[in-house]
Amino acid sequence: MESAAWDIVWWLVIISLFVLSIAGLMYPVIPSILLVWAGFAIYQFAVAPALPTSFWVVMAVFTLLVFAADYVSNLYFVRKYGGSRVSQWAAVGGLIVGPFLMGPVGLIVAPFLAVTLVELTRQQDPGQAVRVAVGTLLGFVSSTLFKLVVQLIMIGWFLWLVLV
């Protein structure tokens, strides 16, 4: 295959990785941020070694922000609504298992149910258990929106840098 044909193939792979990274925000088992990095790496090593060091440094900072968003958001909301550390782990388990058992709706229902059940076994107040579960959902939604914005900035900057 000629070089131009390979460039088209590589661009299709890069774009596919970026699209999958966005889908990964809704399916936590897909490593979203790693797919973004894979797209950058394919461009750097297969298409054109043109990405400056400053790009990689800023992308590393954005990546750290994405990782921190999950932890900080979940910790903040679960604590704010009176939940336990066990509830945090129940929420994570629900996020991972839920989509497999219930499809996309499992992202909301499974963590909510898992946290509610954990909190009900931990304390007898059903109202408080539901309150903590709602806090867990707020944490998931806020971190997902933050990650979406950061990933779109990363992808947008990359595309601007290489196409303009």
Side-chain angles (χ1 to χ4, degrees):
M1 236 195 274
E2 291 185 36
S3 177
W6 274 112
D7 284 351
I8 291 170
V9 169
W10 288 124
W11 270 108
L12 289 172
V13 171
I14 292 167
I15 291 167
S16 297
L17 289 168
F18 291 165
V19 169
L20 281 173
S21 78
I22 301 302
L25 294 172
M26 298 309 293
Y27 287 93
V29 294
I30 298 174
S32 296
I33 200 71
L34 296 179
L35 296 176
V36 173
W37 275 84
F40 298 161
I42 288 171
Y43 180 82
Q44 180 74 20
F45 297 110
V47 179
L51 297 171
T53 303
S54 60
F55 172 83
W56 294 104
V57 170
V58 173
M59 292 302 118
V61 170
F62 279 145
T63 301
L64 292 174
L65 287 173
V66 165
F67 284 128
D70 273 333
Y71 179 75
V72 171
S73 180
N74 286 324
L75 183 64
Y76 171 77
F77 280 102
V78 170
R79 283 189 181 166
K80 178 180 177 176
Y81 286 85
S84 65
R85 185 157 302 281
V86 177
S87 292
Q88 289 176 316
W89 287 108
V92 170
L95 283 171
I96 293 170
V97 174
F100 293 111
L101 298 177
M102 301 176 222
V105 74
L107 284 169
I108 302 296
V109 174
F112 184 86
L113 290 175
V115 170
T116 301
L117 291 173
V118 164
E119 288 299 316
L120 283 172
T121 60
R122 206 176 139 255
Q123 58 194 18
Q124 298 301 321
D125 181 13
Q128 177 62 17
V130 169
R131 185 171 186 249
V132 173
V134 168
T136 301
L137 290 179
L138 291 173
F140 169 72
V141 169
S142 65
S143 71
T144 299
L145 289 175
F146 179 80
K147 291 187 293 187
L148 174 64
V149 168
V150 171
Q151 281 184 217
L152 288 175
I153 290 170
M154 292 171 75
I155 293 167
W157 185 18
F158 166 79
L159 293 173
W160 181 78
L161 192 63
V162 301
L163 297 176
V164 175

